[in-house]
Amino acid sequence: MFLGALFRLLLLSTPIICAAPSGPWDQFNLAPGSRIVHPKAIHNLSGTVENAINLLANGSATLSGNGSYVTLDFGQEVGGFISLNFDEVTPRSSIALSFTESPLFISPLTSDDSAVQDANMSYDGVLPITAPIETTFYTMPSYRLRGGFRYLTLVSTSESYVTISNVSCAISFMPHVEDLRNYTGYFYVSDTESEYADFLTRLWYSGAYTVQTVTIAADTGRKDPPAPSPGWYNNATAATASPVVVDGAKRGRAVWSADMHVAVATEFVSTNDIIPSRNALSTLFSELNQETGQMPYSGPPLSEQGSDTYQAWTLIGTYDYVLYSGDLTWLESTWSNYTKALQFLANKVDSTGLLYVTGTGDWGRLYQGGYNSEANAIYYKALTNSADLANWLNYTTLAAEYATNALALKTRFNDAFWSDSKGMYRDNLTSTLYPQDANSLAVIFNLTTSMEQASSISEGLTRHWNEYGSVAPELPDTIAPFIGGFELAAHFVSGNDARAMELLRLEWGYMLNTSISVQSTLLEGYTSNGSLYFRSTDGYDYDASFTSHSHGWSSGPTASLTFYVLGLTVTSPQGETWSVAPHTSGLSSVQGGFETPLGWFGVEWSSDDDTFNMTISTPEGTNGVVFLPTDGAVLIDGSEYGDNSTLLLDGGNHTILVQSR
Ligand SMILES: *[C@@H]1O[C@H](CO)[C@@H](O)[C@H](O)[C@H]1NC(C)=O
Ligand SMILES: *[C@@H]1O[C@H](CO)[C@@H](O)[C@H](O)[C@H]1NC(C)=O
Ligand SMILES: *[C@@H]1O[C@H](CO)[C@@H](O)[C@H](O)[C@H]1NC(C)=O
Ligand SMILES: *[C@@H]1O[C@H](CO)[C@@H](O)[C@H](O)[C@H]1NC(C)=O
Ligand SMILES: *[C@@H]1O[C@H](CO)[C@@H](O)[C@H](O)[C@H]1NC(C)=O
Ligand SMILES: *[C@@H]1O[C@H](CO)[C@@H](O)[C@H](O)[C@H]1NC(C)=O
Ligand SMILES: *[C@@H]1O[C@H](CO)[C@@H](O)[C@H](O)[C@H]1NC(C)=O
Ligand SMILES: *[C@@H]1O[C@H](CO)[C@@H](O)[C@H](O)[C@H]1NC(C)=O
Ligand SMILES: *[C@@H]1O[C@H](CO)[C@@H](O)[C@H](O)[C@H]1NC(C)=O
Ligand SMILES: *[C@@H]1O[C@H](CO)[C@@H](O)[C@H](O)[C@H]1NC(C)=O
Ligand SMILES: *[C@@H]1O[C@H](CO)[C@@H](O)[C@H](O)[C@H]1NC(C)=O
Ligand SMILES: *[C@@H]1O[C@H](CO)[C@@H](O)[C@H](O)[C@H]1NC(C)=O
């Protein structure tokens, strides 16, 4: 045990360090330059507030009379502990603080909902600072941490006056990192003429920052059962090790395995801060039932049981973490639990050859259960991943067995769910619904058997688009960017890049720009008319102010921009093998890269009617395959290569030029 831990420590603490190069992309990085942030603007004033503007310049402001308030705007999503100075108070002076992500819920009487969903939006209430105020420097108690907000309202709650200054927020997320802007990866559309240029770069950084805001100290989870109203407590233990990646910043502040699958890819391409994902996985594995192999599908204090799809996402997350980190030592130590967890799912495959879902918990969709195509697609991915993981541990017989099972399932999946007339997969054997989740996942997990089939799905998915994005038929009236991220990847994988760009513009363009959100991090979900509301399986009682405005599961585009548009991915642990397959998507030049413990991986390409020019930089000792997006005469490092658009390259620096004929 001790040697294993020591080896892991050595393995993970001796990477070749390379931060991303600096450049014009840095201005898109939303992470604050300091862990202490200050308000950027006065959003609103009511009653008698003198010199409010001073609060932006570390001067004093005075609130007089019961109900007078000032609303401060931090300019973007932040989270943590508010401090302020009390410069002058009377024995009767008192104030209260209230918080909200959306400006729609600014109120001196209550915060937006984080503790419970509550149709009256009154549960959380305010944080009172009661008379007599005896301190000159106040900081919120730690259990009252507010994990996500943009607007802070300070209201006088007595007839007296109070003079305050030095209002700040000590950022609580990414507790293990001093310099929040110290990214290891970057992405930049240098083609500034493109209508997508700034938007795509901004979106990449928005997803990265979103995941930073959901990387929290393990002892700052959301309390469950909730704090008594009015109030909220964020001092629950959310993981067995710290820090940990959770679902949302404001709420729910708990581990969810499907959310983690999206977040870990975002972490990898932006900060390479993936230990928080390993801690999330270890937390779920630590609660595995040794008899049945079942794990909870959310972390503590929820530890909810009963989701076959999330059981499979935990296994897929394990693969993600090992692929990016190369941490085979951790995999080996988890392998006994991992295989039991996989067997739990295998036991649900009956004589039809399909998995029969009995644990119906899922991402919020309706109709889960029985021979469901989404669940079978996710299980298929868990099987193909398990074959790779077993191979990496040299369990070749087991790997072959998993691969055989996967192949059999692929055949059954297509026989059972494919509809020739619709050109899409059905939700289940008898359904007339063609869901966004199963169809998107089938394309990206390679359950399709031809490019034509994948393309037909890509086209079919657009039937549910409106001006705000792609509405999920399996969760009517709802736009779910978690599933939207899979749809986005499906358009790229099927070669429909223009569709991918259009979906980004509609769905993520809406989230980033709408004035009812925080214009920095990404919404959990919203209704098909763009209003704030994320429907849950228990019906339409999910109050709009409960919706999270910073949810890691919506950050899919960050990794997709790196993996598909830039085209750079790793195909074995730490990038010992890699792939470069740019999707130019109408852009003329893009650059970016990331690091792994092996070193720096970077790509720069430019494209016009006559030439495609690309430089690739990867560590010595690695090798990869390059799929060129255009046909023509290929020069590699100045030497003629021929007309083949698939190249095998060794690590190092290479320049590739393609001249169309
Ligand atoms: C801002 O204050 C004005 C009155 O001063 C009020 O009408 C308005 O509703 C307030 N808006 C918010 C968002 O608090
Ligand atoms: C302040 O006003 C609120 C309602 O407007 C009231 O409930 C409260 O008692 C008042 N406080 C004082 C100290 O007058
Ligand atoms: C703001 O002023 C107070 C004194 O009034 C000082 O203690 C504090 O350090 C100042 N903060 C900043 C950010 O300058
Ligand atoms: C930035 O991150 C790298 C690791 O990727 C680390 O070596 C370096 O010390 C960090 N720099 C700062 C200023 O935090
Ligand atoms: C959370 O804080 C509340 C209020 O101070 C306290 O009663 C409770 O014991 C704390 N819980 C934990 C797990 O520390
Ligand atoms: C495996 O599961 C058991 C609970 O069944 C847990 O005690 C143990 O910590 C887990 N081990 C690993 C490495 O996940
Ligand atoms: C698997 O086998 C290869 C070749 O013998 C060896 O280099 C590698 O270290 C082994 N991997 C593990 C995890 O044992
Ligand atoms: C199949 O899907 C439909 C929705 O299209 C749903 O109403 C039905 O309950 C599902 N069947 C099973 C067995 O879950
Ligand atoms: C997709 O699956 C087929 C087998 O069904 C396999 O031949 C092919 O290599 C797979 N493609 C990828 C990219 O894994
Ligand atoms: C290709 O790109 C490299 C690096 O950006 C540049 O130095 C070179 O001049 C370009 N070549 C052509 C033919 O455009
Ligand atoms: C192109 O190159 C790849 C990789 O070297 C090779 O597998 C493939 O057979 C080549 N195709 C043609 C048409 O030469
Ligand atoms: C690739 O080029 C960069 C500078 O552009 C250099 O720092 C690095 O050492 C080169 N890598 C290799 C393997 O030659």
Side-chain angles (χ1 to χ4, degrees), residues 120-181:
N120 303 320
M121 202 190 93
S122 60
Y123 195 97
D124 280 41
V126 297
L127 176 58
I129 308 175
T130 52
I133 296 172
E134 278 162 350
T135 179
T136 54
F137 179 71
Y138 167 87
T139 299
M140 281 161 68
S142 57
Y143 66 95
R144 290 291 237 144
L145 159 72
R146 194 75 187 179
F149 66 93
R150 176 170 167 175
Y151 301 95
L152 164 69
T153 298
L154 299 159
V155 57
S156 165
T157 51
S158 84
E159 293 298 345
S160 196
Y161 74 94
V162 54
T163 300
I164 58 171
S165 63
N166 198 22
V167 179
S168 69
C169 173
I171 297 287
S172 58
F173 52 80
M174 297 285 283
H176 55 306
V177 169
E178 187 50 44
D179 179 0
L180 297 170
R181 295 175 63 81

Side-chain angles (χ1 to χ4, degrees), residues 38-42 45 49-63 69-72 84-85 87 152 154 163-168:
H38 296 94
K40 297 275 195 297
I42 306 292
L45 289 174
V49 183
E50 285 166 62
N51 303 325
I53 197 84
N54 286 356
L55 293 175
L56 306 181
N58 202 19
S60 298
T62 301
L63 290 82
Y69 70 86
V70 54
T71 301
L72 303 175
L84 55 91
N85 288 10
D87 299 330
L152 164 69
L154 299 159
T163 300
I164 58 171
S165 63
N166 198 22
V167 179
S168 69

Side-chain angles (χ1 to χ4, degrees), residues 258 297 306-310 313 357 359-378 413 417 425-429 431-441 461 471-480 482-483 486 534-539 542 553:
Y297 73 112
S307 169
D308 294 342
T309 52
Y310 276 51
W313 282 126
V357 174
T360 56
D362 207 347
W363 59 268
R365 67 155 13 242
L366 305 177
Y367 321 124
Q368 186 52 274
Y371 301 112
N372 173 271
S373 54
E374 181 219 8
N376 275 276
I378 301 171
F413 186 93
F417 301 121
Y425 293 106
R426 292 180 254 280
D427 201 30
N428 58 45
L429 302 179
S431 180
T432 53
L433 189 135
Y434 300 85
Q436 184 190 15
D437 54 13
N439 280 285
S440 303
L441 293 171
L461 288 166
V471 181
E474 66 274 30
L475 188 56
D477 233 11
T478 305
I479 294 174
F482 168 51
I483 304 302
F486 299 134
F534 185 67
R535 189 179 181 182
S536 69
T537 21
D538 43 4
Y542 203 122
W553 78 356

Side-chain angles (χ1 to χ4, degrees), residues 17-19 178-179 182 184 271 595:
I17 302 302
C18 9
E178 187 50 44
D179 179 0
N182 189 20
T184 51
T271 55
E595 69 153 42

Side-chain angles (χ1 to χ4, degrees), residues 1 56 93 117 124 150 156 180 205 328 455 508 546:
M1 280 306 259
L56 306 181
S93 303
Q117 41 179 316
D124 280 41
R150 176 170 167 175
S156 165
L180 297 170
Y205 282 96
L328 295 178
S455 229
W508 282 269
F546 195 58

